[in-house]
Amino acid sequence: METLGEVIKKVRSAAGADWLPAIYRDKIRTQRTRSVSIDIAARENEAIIQYTLLGIELKVGKRRFPCPDLATARYMRVFARFGSTEFAIPYDITRVSTAADELETSWHKHTLMLESFVAGRPPRTIARAKTMLMGSVREEIKEIGSGDAMPAFDRKTRQRS
């Protein structure tokens, strides 16, 4: 019987280009981004999107984080689920929804693969494997980094010289 560390490596290799940190590194961090920091626990969290009179909020535990739109809330929810406290978000708001779709799909694929690889094991072992998967993803996101708080505006926008 393989160890949980081997199962996590198996999930990572099976995911290939759909590995969540690979998507984050190759598709999100390569574009103009801004850094986001949320004050949550570095563990599995229940993240809920709430619609209030003041707009959309992401609720993680007892903390609430205001979001400008639903796409941003969905994007932040992916990172809040596995306890990533600092991450980058695309500066171009038209790209946030696509990125959120890719990240959510990737996360669901990871959990389904993990469940298939640890099927038949005790519930406690399955829970530990899920915790290890979340920790692995969280650490890789942390290593990639969140970038600058605001992107560099190094392009000339003035049309006259």
Side-chain angles (χ1 to χ4, degrees):
M1 186 166 278
E2 57 195 0
T3 65
L4 293 181
E6 292 170 350
V7 170
I8 302 304
K9 288 179 184 176
K10 197 172 173 182
V11 169
R12 182 172 189 206
S13 65
D18 288 337
W19 179 243
L20 196 142
I23 292 172
Y24 179 74
R25 180 186 60 243
D26 299 337
K27 294 184 179 179
I28 295 169
R29 290 292 291 133
T30 56
Q31 54 186 311
R32 184 180 280 187
T33 60
R34 60 186 168 91
S35 126
V36 175
S37 178
I38 55 178
D39 185 23
I40 60 172
R43 58 175 171 79
E44 180 181 5
N45 295 300
E46 183 181 4
I48 301 167
I49 296 174
Q50 293 185 328
Y51 300 90
T52 66
L53 292 174
L54 300 176
I56 298 172
E57 292 181 338
L58 179 68
K59 183 179 176 189
V60 183
K62 293 183 180 180
R63 307 275 322 212
R64 293 177 182 222
F65 304 97
C67 299
D69 57 4
L70 180 60
T72 305
R74 286 179 45 232
Y75 184 91
M76 290 175 63
R77 180 175 59 183
V78 172
F79 292 95
R81 279 183 182 153
F82 56 82
S84 185
T85 58
E86 292 186 6
F87 51 91
I89 189 167
Y91 191 75
D92 184 359
I93 60 171
T94 60
R95 297 181 181 184
V96 176
S97 181
T98 306
D101 289 342
E102 283 187 73
L103 293 172
E104 284 179 335
T105 302
S106 173
W107 181 248
H108 288 296
K109 283 181 182 178
H110 295 352
T111 55
L112 288 174
M113 278 189 267
L114 181 70
E115 288 172 6
S116 70
F117 292 148
V118 295
R121 294 192 181 186
R124 185 172 177 182
T125 305
I126 295 171
R128 279 192 25 231
K130 190 173 181 183
T131 301
M132 285 181 68
L133 176 67
M134 288 185 179
S136 175
V137 170
R138 183 174 47 247
E139 288 304 313
E140 284 192 47
I141 295 292
K142 189 176 182 179
E143 287 174 15
I144 295 167
S146 62
D148 298 329
M150 288 298 291
F153 292 98
D154 51 2
R155 298 181 192 160
K156 289 191 174 189
T157 57
R158 185 171 249 180
Q159 295 182 2
R160 292 183 225 134
S161 42

